Every structure is written in structure tokens, then in C-alpha cells.
Amino acid sequence: MRRIVFFLICIIGSYPLQAQINLELERPINPNQIDIIRDKWGVPHIFGKTDASVAYGLAWAHAEDDFATIQQSLMAGKGMLAQYKGKEGAQVDYIVRLLRIPELVDDRFDTDLSADFKKVLQGYCEGLNAYAEKHKKEVLLKNLFPVTPKDMIRYSVLQLCILSGADKALSSIFGGTVPLLENFKTQGSNAFAFNSKKTTDGNVYLAINAHQPLEGPVAFYEAHLNSEEGWNILGANFPGAPSILHGVNEHLGWAHTVNEPDKLDVYQLEMHAKNKNQYLFDGNWESLEEKKAVFKVKLKLLKVNISRPVYWSKYGPTIKTDRGTFSIRMPAQMDIRGLEQWYRFNKARNFSEFKAALEMRAIPGYNIVYADKYDTIYYISNGRIPVRNKGYNWKSTLPGNTSKTLWNELHPISALPQVLQPTTGFVYNTNHSPFHSTEGKENPVVTDITMGYETLENNRSKRFEALLQPLNKVSYEDFKRIKFDRQFPSTFYFPYNIDSLFLLDETKYPDIADLVVQLKNWDKKGDATNIGAGTFFMVYHDIVPKRSKYMKQGFISLEDAAEILRSAKATMLQQFSRTNLQLGDVQKLVRGNLALPLPGLPDQLAPMYSIPYKDGLYKGNQGDAYIELVKFTKDGPIIESLNVYGASARKDSPHYTDQMQMFVEQKTKPMTLNKELVYQQAVKKYHPL
């Protein structure tokens, strides 16, 4: 018997390592060993023996709550969105092929991703495929399933390319005729952290506060993931992601906000006068690589095959237009490990491990605000930023005829703007300048202008500064008050000066005197019952269509201000027959049949942005979205959270709208990482079967 055992050990030991990994990846996950616990708010707490089994449970739970959005996200990654959404999806499918995302993933999948993360991807796919098999009537495209780990990676690369401005660059190249992919793009956010040097109780506070679209492929989904392999985290992710994208585990947490360094370059090629596929590069004529991108587009009841040429130069994806031939180049398109880096963040137990994950340099953007139970706080304006030749204007279109503009290296993490353990005891970011992330001399400084980092302040950054300035120490109540603040700073910090709106003399403008007085008397708060806020809301939405003019001149003149108020008043009278509108009279939080008066204005610390709804009303579509507030104590993190609507996007779910009233009232729900407590408080327990 011993000889047989020894013989088997020898066989297994001599078996190629990759083959062993493949066997492990192919071993089916037993869903009976996965528990999905739903709490009173419907938030899924997923427990399994392995990380892969937890990923399986996450896919199943998320599909229960929003299968349609997950499917559309994966359609985008597979280049199949046009089959479902027609012309609207065709642009996305074209970008996938133009950027050669399938080729990139096929080329690097086996070598660049670690074996343990592939298991997580495989587990997620198995869970999603199992759900699709059991709920066939919910499948939107019959040839979408089964999905594979490569499909997930393709979608993540696409999303990170859009984050880096791929759609914006294409729109610019085509003269503004290509629409921007706002639905696939992350927006603003707030994040701040305080350590014991700044808190009254000596604990560490972290605010995770995403200002995302309220619905769609980049709306956050809350979940708790717990495996016996050391994965225990609560936070939020996007549809189709196999781990948490920002949140807190037992040891640490982090938050993201959108940043704007120069993540992409556009080049104009010098084309041959006769051979339209040749371009000049370092004195030699090079040929563009040409392929045919073929994809299906739904047109009414038919699906039609569309073929488009896609080109490639030494710089990268290339587009021919009537205005010339242009190439784009971006680091986001050169790495497939973004999702794995987030998974490494999930599993980090201290700052050293988190920093090691950061050194992967796989996520091409996002500010990071970090805090942990060891009293460490940290800020970095993260990015895959090229090392560029300082002899060129990198904010403009670049000459595409020289290797001097063809960068190939990235700045190390150590070169990026960052602050670790400042003596001030706090770090923060509100999508403003990374060079103002704390106070005083410990702020980062500009070291390389070719990185293109933003240097502007905004209303949120200045309001945060004003709220913090009088506080020697911050209590947890102060911390929450700052997060939920809905007041503009004493001086506005919009991209153009709007002071003229508040400088009109009502005696000189009797036709709009009521609005002039309402604005002058306004306390700059965005409460739902605030009349001044209602007036400003209507004025703001009259400004937005004309903002390019005001951006160009840098201000709104008194004459412009008077016309804006006249236009806003005409709209108020036409739609509501009065001008003394409270903000909540016109702005609503809407889902299904429920419409609540909605507070919040653009660029406040607790902001809201809205789009036309019906009968002159507006509904919130982006702003304060997922909120997670954390206090790290000696007994573990104390967590409270809030999601704008609820845990489910299913109209028949009790959790479709059950957090809406809490949201407008700025109330939170207690959450926990404690497994025993989760089971004790369970409303529903089941396996993903």
C-alpha cells in the first residue's frame, strides 16, 4: 500500500505545474458548500471554503439582483452589445476591436494572471453560467453564455480604457460626432481619512463615498465576501467584477475617486501622398496594419453583419478621417491585470501588502485614500503614467512621425503624487488637485509637468477645507457631518465665475426681481425644502446647455445672468405656475412608482446631478451613491453604509426601493464583517442552486 501511495505522489509531483493548475481550475465548485445570507436590507453576505467558491456565490447573488446589467456589461466585453442595443451598442463593439482588446487578452491571459486569481475568475463564471442555465428566460442573448474568464478580463480592459478617455479621444478625432460613453464611465467621488492625530477618540476614520451614476454598468453593488482562505471584506463593486472595488476588510480599507492625469495621447500621422496606408516614421515609410472588424448589429427585427476597417500604427489604434489620420496610445490598453490588482487589495492585511499590490501598476487611474487599524493613512493619485519627452506639448495633438513621441516606459509608483502618515492626521480628495491632499509642506509637489495632473480646486474641496479648519480634533459626529454636508463654500469654485448671478440689482430688473432676491437670500444649502436651492437648481439647468460659452470666456456676465434668470423664470411659470419652488418640488429620487423630494446640488459634498424626468420635473441620475463609513477600533472596524435605492434592481423585490427614504434623510444602516453575527441576524439563508 505504501508503495502505491509513494508511486502516486511521484506521479503528481512530476506532473507539469500548469497541468496541475488547469486541473484545479476545472474542478467544479459545489454550490451546496456556499452560503448566501441576506440581511434585513437584502445585502448578500457570501460564505465559502475558497475564494473561488465565494466568487461563484457573488456572481449568483448579483445576478439575482441585477442580471440584466451584468449581461450587458459582458456583452460589451465580448463585442456583442450591438446585437442587443443596435446602433447604440455598435460604437462599443467597434472600440473593442479598434483597441484590439481580444488580441491583448488572448496574448497575455496565460502568462500575466496568477493561478489563484484565475480560480476566482473561473468561480465567478461558473456561478454566472449556472444562474443563466437555471433562468433561461432572463437571458438577453442566446449566444452570450457560457461566459469565460477571458470575457471578464476583456470587459475590464474596455472599461479601464474608457476611464482613460478612449471615447473622448475618438469623439475629438471625429469632430465631436461620436457620442461619449457616459454609461460606462466612472464619475466623481469623495474620500477622506483621519488617524489618531486628528480624531478625538484616537480611532481611525475612513469615508468611502462614490458619486456614481445611480444605475447602470458603473453603479455600485454592495456585498460581503468571506472565505476560509482569508477573504473577508465588505464594500461595493460593479456588475461583472469578481471582487470588491472599494471597501473594508478586518484590517484596512480604501476608497477611490476619479483623477485626471494625462492617461492618453493622440498623434497625427504624416501620410504618404499616394499610398494612403503608409505613414512617415523616423524618415522611413511604414505601413499601417489593417484588419476587418465584423460585428452584428440589431436593426429592428434583423441582425445585420457590419464590417469596418481598423488600423494600427507603431503608436497603436489608428483612425482615418477627413481631417487626417490619427493614432491613440494609452497605458490602459497595455495591461490586463486591473481586476487582479483589486483582488490583491481585497486580500491585503496591512499597508505593506496593500502597497505591494499597488506596485503592480495595473489600474490605470483613480485616486486612492487608504486607512487601517494600525493608525496608517495614505493618499495617492494613482495611474499608469508614461515617461514622456519634455520637448513636446503633451496636452495637444502630437507629431506621429518620430520615435521621440513614442513612449514605452511608465513612471514608478514612487514618482506619483502621494502622502503617507502626514503630521496633520488627515488626507482627502474630492476630484481636485492631488497637490492639495492634506495641509502644508507635506502636500505633494509637481515633479514632471508631462504627467498632466489636474491642479484645480472645486466646491467640495474648498468646503471640506472650511469645515475642517476650525476643528483641532475631529469627532466621529464631525466626520459624519462633513460627509453629509450640503452647503457650498462662501466663494463658488465652478469652472467659470458665476458671481454675477448674485450681483444683480433687483430694482433694475423688476421682471426677475423675485428670483434675484431668492438667490441673494439663499444660504447656499441644498436641502429639499430650500427655496433658494430650488431657484439655483432651475438657473443651473439653464446654464448647462450654454456652458461651453461660459467656459471659453471664464465668467457669466451681468447681461448673461439676467437672461439666464429670465429663461429660468419662464420655465418655472410654464411648468409649475410659480417661482417659489423648493428644491424637492422639482428634483426627485425616482424608482418604479416611488418619487421622493431629493436634496443635493452639483459639486456639494453630498451632491446630486439630475436629468429631465416628466412634467418639468427632474430625477437624480448621478451623485451621492454608495456610502461606507468606517471607524477602526481595537475591537475591529465599525461600519455603516447606505446605497441610494436598495440592494436589488428587480422591480418585484422588497429591496428595490427600501433604502430610498434613508438616502434622502442621510441615515445609514449598521453592517458587519462578523460571520457569527451575520448568521444570527440572517433574514434568508440559501445555497446558489
Side-chain angles (χ1 to χ4, degrees):
M1 181 65 183
R2 290 181 179 176
R3 290 183 178 179
I4 294 174
V5 172
F6 178 75
F7 179 69
L8 290 173
I9 291 173
C10 289
I11 291 176
I12 294 170
S14 63
Y15 204 62
L17 178 60
Q18 188 59 49
Q20 292 181 47
I21 291 170
N22 289 339
L23 283 175
E24 292 175 359
L25 287 172
E26 293 168 3
R27 186 178 300 143
I29 291 170
N30 183 356
N32 283 299
Q33 297 179 347
I34 303 168
D35 284 349
I36 298 177
I37 308 295
R38 296 281 185 170
D39 62 24
K40 66 179 290 187
W41 300 104
V43 176
H45 303 252
I46 300 156
F47 298 90
K49 291 184 178 298
T50 65
D51 291 357
S53 64
V54 169
Y56 183 112
L58 172 63
W60 185 282
H62 201 162
E64 289 180 311
D65 292 322
D66 197 3
F67 192 38
T69 303
I70 294 175
Q71 290 182 78
Q72 291 179 63
S73 297
L74 292 171
M75 285 177 203
K78 291 167 78 81
M80 298 171 61
L81 196 60
Q83 296 183 42
Y84 180 70
K85 303 198 78 170
K87 291 182 179 180
E88 182 183 346
Q91 182 193 359
V92 178
D93 292 351
Y94 169 74
I95 290 176
V96 168
R97 290 162 174 80
L98 174 69
L99 301 184
R100 293 189 177 181
I101 291 174
E103 293 94 326
L104 174 71
V105 175
D106 287 344
D107 182 54
R108 299 196 177 184
F109 186 88
D110 291 336
T111 57
D112 288 15
L113 299 178
S114 65
D116 61 334
F117 182 62
K118 288 177 185 175
K119 294 179 188 178
V120 171
L121 292 172
Q122 185 66 36
Y124 188 95
C125 288
E126 287 184 25
L128 202 60
N129 291 333
Y131 185 90
E133 180 64 25
K134 189 164 184 179
H135 301 84
K136 293 181 180 179
K137 291 183 179 180
E138 297 181 26
V139 173
L140 301 178
L141 280 178
K142 64 180 181 180
N143 55 342
L144 177 61
F145 292 95
V147 297
T148 69
K150 284 186 178 181
D151 296 331
M152 296 176 64
I153 296 298
R154 290 184 191 113
Y155 176 57
S156 74
V157 174
L158 169 66
Q159 200 172 49
L160 292 174
C161 286
I162 293 172
L163 158 72
S164 298
D167 64 326
K168 184 178 180 180
L170 289 172
S171 182
S172 175
I173 288 169
F174 283 109
T177 59
V178 175
L180 299 178
L181 302 179
E182 299 297 341
N183 286 343
F184 289 90
K185 190 177 300 182
T186 51
Q187 305 293 337
S189 290
N190 294 338
F192 44 92
F194 301 97
N195 68 11
S196 63
K197 291 183 178 179
K198 193 66 176 177
T199 60
T200 56
D201 59 11
N203 291 313
V204 177
Y205 307 157
L206 173 66
I208 301 168
N209 183 203
H211 298 165
Q212 291 296 105
L214 306 187
E215 296 182 281
V218 289
F220 275 115
Y221 178 76
E222 185 173 28
H224 173 203
L225 311 179
N226 183 301
S227 82
E228 295 178 16
E229 294 182 331
W231 199 4
N232 189 18
I233 189 166
L234 173 74
N237 72 352
F238 294 150
S243 69
I244 296 302
L245 300 184
H246 62 183
V248 59
N249 63 31
E250 297 157 295
H251 313 283
L252 57 85
W254 75 97
H256 285 305
T257 70
V258 173
N259 62 353
E260 294 293 341
D262 190 348
K263 305 170 190 171
L264 179 150
D265 292 314
V266 177
Y267 306 81
Q268 183 163 11
L269 304 186
E270 185 177 340
M271 304 304 293
H272 195 285
K274 296 181 179 179
N275 189 331
K276 302 301 182 182
N277 270 4
Q278 285 193 331
Y279 63 100
L280 192 65
F281 184 82
D282 282 350
N284 299 313
W285 291 105
E286 304 284 349
S287 295
L288 291 173
E289 297 178 39
E290 181 178 357
K291 291 185 178 181
K292 289 290 183 183
V294 181
F295 45 94
K296 291 183 178 180
V297 181
K298 183 180 75 172
L299 298 175
K300 295 184 178 180
L301 298 178
L302 300 175
K303 289 182 181 178
V304 180
N305 283 330
I306 300 294
S307 176
R308 292 286 184 271
V310 289
Y311 302 97
W312 193 273
S313 73
K314 287 181 178 292
Y315 295 97
T318 301
I319 305 98
K320 292 183 176 182
T321 75
D322 294 338
R323 299 167 52 240
T325 301
F326 300 87
S327 291
I328 59 177
R329 187 171 183 80
M330 55 184 161
Q333 189 200 355
M334 302 173 183
D335 200 300
I336 69 169
R337 301 170 301 148
L339 284 179
E340 179 166 353
Q341 184 169 341
W342 269 302
Y343 171 66
R344 299 297 169 203
F345 288 165
N346 279 229
K347 298 294 292 286
R349 295 167 296 178
N350 51 50
F351 181 68
S352 294
E353 292 183 4
F354 188 89
K355 190 73 182 303
L358 188 60
E359 292 288 350
M360 290 175 64
R361 293 190 298 173
I363 300 172
Y366 294 125
N367 294 293
I368 299 172
V369 169
Y370 166 99
D372 65 31
K373 67 180 183 181
Y374 307 107
D375 208 27
T376 309
I377 58 173
Y378 175 67
Y379 162 79
I380 183 169
S381 189
N382 178 57
R384 289 172 56 81
I385 312 300
V387 177
R388 298 175 168 111
N389 188 323
K390 291 183 172 61
Y392 293 88
N393 178 9
W394 292 92
K395 289 188 176 295
S396 181
T397 301
L398 296 152
N401 59 5
T402 171
S403 57
K404 293 180 181 180
T405 59
L406 182 64
W407 48 259
N408 288 294
E409 296 181 19
L410 300 178
H411 283 285
I413 291 295
S414 60
L416 306 183
Q418 58 196 287
V419 177
L420 175 64
Q421 292 295 76
T423 57
T424 58
F426 73 93
V427 291
Y428 73 111
N429 185 266
T430 65
N431 312 114
H432 69 292
S433 169
F435 308 110
H436 184 200
S437 51
T438 187
E439 279 183 349
K441 296 180 180 179
E442 291 174 290
N443 271 308
V445 295
V446 179
T447 57
D448 185 342
I449 60 171
T450 69
M451 290 184 177
Y453 274 104
E454 62 272 41
T455 58
L456 297 176
E457 300 294 324
N458 57 32
N459 288 297
R460 287 172 289 135
S461 68
K462 301 307 287 186
R463 179 62 179 164
F464 180 93
E465 183 182 286
L467 288 169
L468 194 60
Q469 192 276 328
L471 301 175
N472 182 45
K473 295 274 189 176
V474 175
S475 69
Y476 192 72
E477 290 71 27
D478 293 328
F479 169 73
K480 291 184 69 173
R481 178 172 54 84
I482 292 170
K483 186 270 143 296
F484 285 116
D485 185 77
R486 289 188 181 127
Q487 183 168 349
F488 284 111
S490 56
T491 300
F492 286 110
Y493 279 81
F494 285 106
Y496 39 85
N497 190 308
I498 67 168
D499 288 351
S500 57
L501 295 170
F502 302 86
L503 297 176
L504 294 173
D505 183 345
E506 61 271 23
T507 62
K508 295 182 179 179
Y509 300 92
D511 59 322
I512 52 172
D514 48 353
L515 267 63
V516 171
V517 171
Q518 284 166 196
L519 286 178
K520 284 186 174 181
N521 292 337
W522 181 37
D523 57 8
K524 293 189 176 181
K525 292 182 179 179
D527 301 325
T529 57
N530 194 306
I531 290 176
T535 303
F536 183 79
F537 179 92
M538 298 301 293
V539 167
Y540 178 86
H541 280 273
D542 196 82
I543 292 172
V544 168
K546 310 161 192 170
R547 60 188 170 191
S548 59
K549 169 188 174 181
Y550 306 132
M551 288 283 286
K552 186 175 182 179
Q553 64 189 35
F555 64 93
I556 295 175
S557 68
L558 288 173
E559 293 77 11
D560 288 333
E563 287 307 310
I564 290 167
L565 264 62
R566 288 190 181 100
S567 178
K569 182 171 182 177
T571 302
M572 294 163 108
L573 291 174
Q574 179 184 3
Q575 298 292 345
F576 303 96
S577 302
R578 58 191 178 93
T579 60
N580 59 337
L581 296 172
Q582 296 179 358
L583 178 58
D585 291 335
V586 64
Q587 181 173 249
K588 305 292 183 180
L589 183 62
V590 180
R591 197 174 224 194
N593 296 322
L594 185 60
L596 302 176
L598 180 59
L601 290 166
D603 204 27
Q604 294 186 326
L605 282 168
M608 188 52 60
Y609 301 80
S610 295
I611 57 176
Y613 167 42
K614 66 177 183 179
D615 302 328
L617 298 175
Y618 286 73
K619 67 175 182 178
N621 74 314
Q622 180 200 325
D624 236 4
Y626 179 68
I627 300 163
E628 187 174 6
L629 305 179
V630 186
K631 180 195 295 187
F632 289 98
T633 74
K634 60 181 178 61
D635 298 319
I638 298 173
I639 308 167
E640 50 187 304
S641 73
L642 179 62
N643 215 345
V644 59
Y645 296 119
S648 179
R650 303 269 185 175
K651 294 181 179 180
D652 58 351
S653 169
H655 307 296
Y656 185 58
T657 59
D658 63 342
Q659 292 185 52
M660 288 175 63
Q661 190 64 46
M662 293 171 58
F663 180 83
V664 298
E665 295 177 0
Q666 297 185 320
K667 295 179 179 178
T668 58
K669 59 187 190 296
M671 299 297 288
T672 183
L673 293 169
N674 186 296
K675 182 176 182 178
E676 182 179 352
L677 189 58
V678 169
Y679 275 82
Q680 287 176 3
Q681 297 176 347
V683 172
K684 185 179 180 182
K685 173 187 172 183
Y686 59 100
H687 307 304
L689 297 170

